[in-house]
Amino acid sequence: MPNDKLRPGPPVGIDIPPGYNEIPLGNLETLMQNARPAITESVPDRMRDDVPNVLGTLHFLLATLAANNALYSGIGLHRTTEASERVAVSWLTVSSFDYGEERNPRLVLSELINAKAEKKSRGELAIVEGPSVPILYFEWTEKHPAPTIAGYPATNDPPQVFQIEAIIPSADGTSIAVLELSTADREIGPQYRGMVLDMAGSVTFPQPPADTGSTSLAL
């Protein structure tokens, strides 16, 4: 997305489906302190020396999300089928941005598509007609370096992460909401398509309260 266009955006309404557990993006120091005992107890003894590194990485990731206009972050646990005991894990974030002057939302998406082309982004892209505005849908698979963890076998094959991005403009084109989903379960990744589009279709852009002379906060 064009960086010169993106400024802190408005609050948005969205329906988060069941199965997601929110990770608060405020007061991260307390969150890390509370998470340490649970993470330490949940890993094998040979990996416990790496818990501080894991917490440091998690702190950095959540702080980065908060600094980049993330309104929501959550980890999802979902069965792959009703009859299966296999559980897929996914990471979901919701962000919003102020995008400038009023205009047709289709022009906003056109500009965002051009920006992806300029960056040579590779993936499957589509414009999906939502309930009120068009939605820019983009999915791709990306390789990420495997972390070095003591006592855990090293690998020369970087893990592949399946990712989906849905961008929803406001009706007047002045704001955008961005949904991002990632899962290391590449095989199951396509099953999230419908869920992400349902979430994207539920997005609303609440108007800020009228100025009545008192101080009000939009959270």
Side-chain angles (χ1 to χ4, degrees):
M1 282 176 277
N3 290 329
D4 61 339
K5 287 280 186 181
L6 304 182
R7 296 178 292 276
V12 300
I14 183 172
D15 294 334
I16 302 295
Y20 279 97
N21 299 293
E22 184 175 4
I23 301 176
L25 296 176
N27 200 0
L28 294 181
E29 297 299 333
T30 299
L31 177 63
M32 295 300 104
Q33 291 175 7
N34 293 337
R36 180 186 291 269
I39 293 177
T40 301
E41 291 299 320
S42 67
V43 301
D45 291 343
R46 69 181 186 275
M47 297 174 62
R48 289 183 178 176
D49 288 343
D50 274 306
V51 169
N53 293 333
V54 171
L55 290 171
T57 301
L58 181 59
H59 185 284
F60 173 80
L61 174 62
L62 295 176
T64 301
L65 288 175
N68 285 276
N69 298 350
L71 303 176
Y72 173 90
S73 176
I75 292 179
L77 302 173
H78 298 93
R79 288 187 178 181
T80 55
T81 65
E82 290 186 4
S84 174
E85 294 298 321
R86 182 181 174 189
V87 175
V89 179
S90 62
W91 183 286
L92 174 68
T93 61
V94 181
S95 309
S96 74
F97 302 91
D98 178 0
Y99 203 74
E101 71 279 1
E102 291 189 15
R103 55 184 167 156
N104 190 310
R106 294 184 185 277
L107 295 178
V108 172
L109 296 190
S110 176
E111 186 174 71
L112 294 173
I113 291 171
N114 289 336
K116 286 188 178 297
E118 291 175 2
K119 291 174 60 179
K120 301 187 185 306
S121 300
R122 301 176 67 88
E124 299 295 326
L125 184 149
I127 298 294
V128 179
E129 293 300 326
S132 57
V133 293
I135 298 164
L136 174 56
Y137 177 94
F138 188 67
E139 74 173 49
W140 72 104
T141 300
E142 187 171 343
K143 291 185 177 181
H144 293 270
T148 301
I149 301 176
Y152 196 81
T155 177
N156 293 324
D157 187 18
Q160 297 189 4
V161 178
F162 180 88
Q163 299 178 256
I164 295 176
E165 177 186 71
I167 303 178
I168 309 92
S170 60
D172 61 4
T174 62
S175 303
I176 59 174
V178 182
L179 315 185
E180 296 178 297
L181 180 140
S182 302
T183 179
D185 196 331
R186 183 185 177 192
E187 179 183 345
I188 299 302
Q191 295 186 21
Y192 287 99
R193 290 167 177 157
M195 185 190 74
V196 170
L197 287 173
D198 286 344
M199 280 192 289
S202 76
V203 168
T204 58
F205 290 84
Q207 295 298 315
D211 185 4
T212 59
S214 61
T215 301
S216 59
L217 297 176
L219 300 178

